[in-house]
Amino acid sequence: PFNAEGIMASLGTFLQQEIDCFNRLLRVTHRSLSDLIRAIRGEAVMSATIEAMFSSFIFNQVPKNWKKDGYLCLKPLASYNNDLVTRVEAMQSWVVNGPPKSFWVPGFFFAQGFFTCVFQTHSRREKIPIDTVKFHFHAVSTAHDQITEKPESGIYMHGFQLEGAGWSDERMCFQESKPGVLYTPLPVIHVEPVLMSLPTPAGLYQCPLYKASTRAGELSTTGLSTNFLLQMGLSAGDHSSDHWIRRGVAALCMLDD
């Protein structure tokens, strides 16, 4: 697909791929649940796969046959179900209402592909090589549901949880965690593509962003990690970046509950 300026709509291609992934997962869940109901009624043979799925349900776990075609998620079954419904509704909203003003990146199957599309969109619009572009990240004080305009360059994204540190909404920087608080929501982040030659601002902590809390992942067929996404350079506040490295500070797309 191309827009009015003749630039390929990379995000449209990404959306189609995401829809295909969700449709495949929904087909698997629907078919396996139908098979389970028929097996319980005695209308079909209880296969090993269906029996394993039934055992997973008893212990509030996501069945392995769902994980095979699903996305990386460490949530128990009940939370996984709510999370899946929310993701599908977000995709449906994108299809019906067009691209959101702020993207819920944790809701994507393949978030790495989303960031590649942002690179592609910028490089094609500016007519520059994609390998000469990098990201700068800026925290935004406006809530994601109150953003009315898209940024002139790049995208807004939201939905991340910060582990190992707190966040100051007044100063828009990292701060020490409050007692008893394990996770702190990050604000909306403006992802701005800039030239590689542009220097990185001082006083930033390169905060790693992971899909899940394990902070480890296997390499996919594309050569990218199945868990690690990228590093977001955000203001380190009163401490150096080494301080937050020793704290093990990282941003997560989703929690385990």
Side-chain angles (χ1 to χ4, degrees), residues 7-27:
I7 303 174
M8 180 178 290
S10 298
L11 288 179
T13 303
F14 170 78
L15 174 61
Q16 183 61 59
Q17 294 172 345
E18 287 289 301
I19 291 174
D20 292 342
C21 290
F22 278 107
N23 283 339
R24 181 170 61 250
L25 175 58
L26 292 175
R27 284 194 297 269

Side-chain angles (χ1 to χ4, degrees), residues 2 7 19 52 61 74 96 100-101 109 137 157 162 165 168 178 182-183 203 211 220 229 242-243 249 257:
F2 291 82
I7 303 174
I19 291 174
Q61 297 175 347
L74 303 179
V96 174
K101 301 297 187 297
F109 248 84
F137 300 88
M157 64 179 184
L162 192 61
S168 173
K178 295 180 181 179
L182 297 179
Y183 303 101
K211 291 182 180 180
S220 64
L229 293 178
D242 290 340
H243 175 81
V249 175
D257 54 5

Side-chain angles (χ1 to χ4, degrees), residues 165 174-176 236 239-249:
F174 292 104
Q175 65 179 13
E176 295 291 353
H239 300 282
S240 67
S241 60
D242 290 340
H243 175 81
W244 301 120
I245 291 174
R246 289 192 294 269
R247 282 280 197 272
V249 175

Side-chain angles (χ1 to χ4, degrees), residues 151-170:
E152 294 182 2
S153 176
I155 54 97
Y156 292 128
M157 64 179 184
H158 67 276
F160 308 111
Q161 296 287 330
L162 192 61
E163 183 181 29
W167 181 263
S168 173
D169 291 326
E170 293 76 21

Side-chain angles (χ1 to χ4, degrees), residues 35 37 65 139 199 226 242:
D35 292 343
I37 292 174
N65 55 323
T226 56
D242 290 340

Side-chain angles (χ1 to χ4, degrees), residues 78-164:
S79 299
Y80 176 88
N81 178 69
N82 295 333
D83 181 72
L84 177 58
V85 170
T86 304
R87 289 171 184 248
V88 172
E89 290 176 346
M91 290 294 107
Q92 185 177 16
S93 176
W94 187 347
V95 172
V96 174
N97 303 318
K101 301 297 187 297
S102 178
F103 291 90
W104 183 44
V105 173
F108 297 148
F109 248 84
F110 188 58
Q112 294 96 330
F114 173 75
F115 292 117
T116 301
C117 288
V118 177
F119 274 132
Q120 290 176 339
T121 301
H122 180 79
S123 64
R124 285 166 178 162
R125 184 176 64 243
E126 301 297 329
K127 296 180 174 59
I128 56 177
I130 193 173
D131 58 358
T132 63
V133 181
K134 65 179 179 179
F135 283 145
H136 276 184
F137 300 88
H138 314 280
V140 179
S141 58
T142 308
H144 70 88
D145 54 356
Q146 296 178 353
I147 294 177
T148 57
E149 297 292 336
K150 300 176 183 177
E152 294 182 2
S153 176
I155 54 97
Y156 292 128
M157 64 179 184
H158 67 276
F160 308 111
Q161 296 287 330
L162 192 61
E163 183 181 29

